[in-house]
Amino acid sequence: MTKSELIQRLAERNPHLYQRDVERIVSTIFDEIAAALARGDRVELRGFGAFSVKQRDARTGRNPRTGDSVSVAAKAVPYFKTGKQLRDLLNAG
Amino acid sequence: MSERTITRAQLSEAIYQEVGLSRNESADLLEMVLDEISQALVQEEVVKISSFGSFSVRRKGQRVGRNPKTGEEVPILPRRVLVFRPSQLLKGRINAKA
């Protein structure tokens, strides 16, 4: 399912809304989550899951082709932990 | 910079501000979005949100685990786990220096 298919499915469930508004709803949600993570905030959607940012230390990596060692700078990576309810839903039955 | 936690309340407030639905309907629509994504994942569909990332379900086989307290061997049953892969754009945004 792509973002536009998600919008399509929501539009079908909400025939009273303009498609344009459904698009803005979906975009707003993901923009807000991304903006929160960019600020270093956590986003917790209980039952669904939580987005957070994890810090990775600088390390010495290796170019797998040449074996040369290269330094990899410290960086932050987005992380998602599945919520209990969704995890249970995936493993029901 | 102190870390805050954003919840459904702030996301539905953002929908209310941006789209102009009522607060109640904004909260309902947020719930529907999470529900559609969850239902797609239960069907093992990959959910791709461009410029954000993708969610997919991976099947894990049975393996032998150990109760860390007692050292006792216990089988970990086959299960399905959700994997989130952030887009390059999201990774870039998170590392952009203000």
Side-chain angles (χ1 to χ4, degrees):
Chain A
M1 178 170 79
T2 61
K3 185 173 167 183
S4 51
E5 286 163 351
L6 171 62
I7 290 163
Q8 202 52 51
R9 291 179 198 189
L10 290 161
E12 283 163 20
R13 280 174 75 174
N14 297 277
H16 63 293
L17 295 179
Y18 291 113
Q19 168 109 4
R20 183 187 66 222
D21 285 343
V22 178
E23 284 171 17
R24 288 171 68 196
I25 291 162
V26 172
S27 296
T28 299
I29 293 170
F30 291 108
D31 287 352
E32 287 292 320
I33 297 173
L37 294 174
R39 291 192 302 267
D41 291 344
R42 260 170 64 81
V43 179
E44 185 177 317
L45 303 168
R46 197 151 297 183
F48 183 78
F51 296 90
S52 59
V53 175
K54 294 203 167 184
Q55 301 299 328
R56 297 269 183 266
D57 289 340
R59 61 188 171 85
T60 307
R62 272 185 197 282
N63 179 328
R65 194 172 308 178
T66 63
D68 292 348
S69 61
V70 284
S71 59
V72 181
K75 64 184 170 187
V77 293
Y79 175 74
F80 178 76
K81 183 175 191 292
T82 313
K84 185 178 185 320
Q85 206 183 310
L86 180 52
R87 203 165 54 224
D88 290 347
L89 197 64
L90 287 171
N91 291 291
Chain B
M1 182 172 68
S2 70
E3 180 193 281
R4 288 194 313 153
T5 299
I6 305 302
T7 63
R8 280 176 172 78
Q10 288 92 332
L11 294 187
S12 52
E13 179 68 18
I15 296 170
Y16 167 76
Q17 300 283 347
E18 283 291 317
V19 188
L21 304 180
S22 72
R23 283 200 162 85
N24 262 331
E25 199 170 16
S26 298
D28 288 349
L29 263 298
L30 170 61
E31 220 49 57
M32 266 188 242
V33 169
L34 300 179
D35 178 61
E36 286 292 343
I37 295 172
S38 303
Q39 292 307 322
L41 291 167
V42 167
Q43 305 300 320
E44 299 197 357
E45 281 185 68
V46 174
V47 177
K48 269 191 194 149
I49 307 296
S50 63
S51 80
F52 186 79
S54 67
F55 300 87
S56 58
V57 172
R58 196 172 287 169
R59 286 172 176 267
K60 295 261 202 176
Q62 176 163 343
R63 64 188 169 90
V64 178
R66 214 174 263 283
N67 180 328
K69 206 170 286 178
T70 63
E72 192 187 351
E73 282 190 356
V74 282
I76 295 176
L77 298 175
R79 67 210 157 93
R80 299 196 297 181
V81 296
L82 204 172
V83 184
F84 172 65
R85 291 200 58 213
S87 71
Q88 287 301 326
L89 204 106
L90 182 60
K91 287 195 223 172
R93 255 186 99 171
I94 283 164
N95 282 287
K97 295 283 164 272

